[in-house]
Amino acid sequence: MKKQMDPRMHSAEHILNQTMVRMFQCGRCFSAHIEKKKSKCDYNFTRALSPEEISQIEKKVNEIIKADFPISEEYITRAEAGQSFNLERLPEDTGDRIRIVKVGDYDSVPCIGPHVKSTKEIGNFRIVSASFENNILRIRFKLDKGHAE
Ligand SMILES: [Zn+2]
């Protein structure tokens, strides 16, 4: 069986993705490596980020974490989900009941991964680096223990 993803890191990925979508109108990451110590997300992108943009992303993600939004789930049919969401990243064998995971009113997306119950559990979010190459923006991030500052 596949190793269980770290719920704090994976929940941070949800918030980072929605923040990227809102700030840059890019899609959610097309690939992610989520590890307890350090994670990375890759986005289809057209340029590098400025240091100001990187700190804006950090600030927004930490704002959502500090707001302590509940992370909840609901199940809808595949047909319903297909109207609002891109289902390409779900495994083929997911079945007809699709789990939608919501971070307060900030984000909602079909997902099968493990999540924390509310965003404050994630701790402080920090971008370690952001690199741009071949139209791919890679963001590496860490979580500091304890509550967001
Ligand atoms: Zn998830």
Side-chain angles (χ1 to χ4, degrees), residues 6-44:
D6 181 62
R8 289 170 64 229
M9 270 294 193
H10 174 64
S11 302
E13 178 196 345
H14 277 245
I15 299 171
L16 174 62
N17 276 334
Q18 180 60 238
T19 301
M20 292 300 290
V21 169
R22 290 185 185 213
M23 282 181 68
F24 303 104
Q25 293 79 47
C26 61
R28 304 177 80 92
C29 65
F30 64 87
S31 161
H33 288 91
I34 302 300
E35 302 285 343
K36 202 175 177 125
K37 281 194 171 160
K38 192 165 144 184
S39 297
K40 58 187 176 191
C41 287
D42 289 346
Y43 299 88
N44 289 311

Side-chain angles (χ1 to χ4, degrees), residues 10-11 14 99 101 109-115:
H10 174 64
S11 302
H14 277 245
R99 184 172 73 150
V101 173
V109 71
C111 187
I112 59 164
H115 309 89

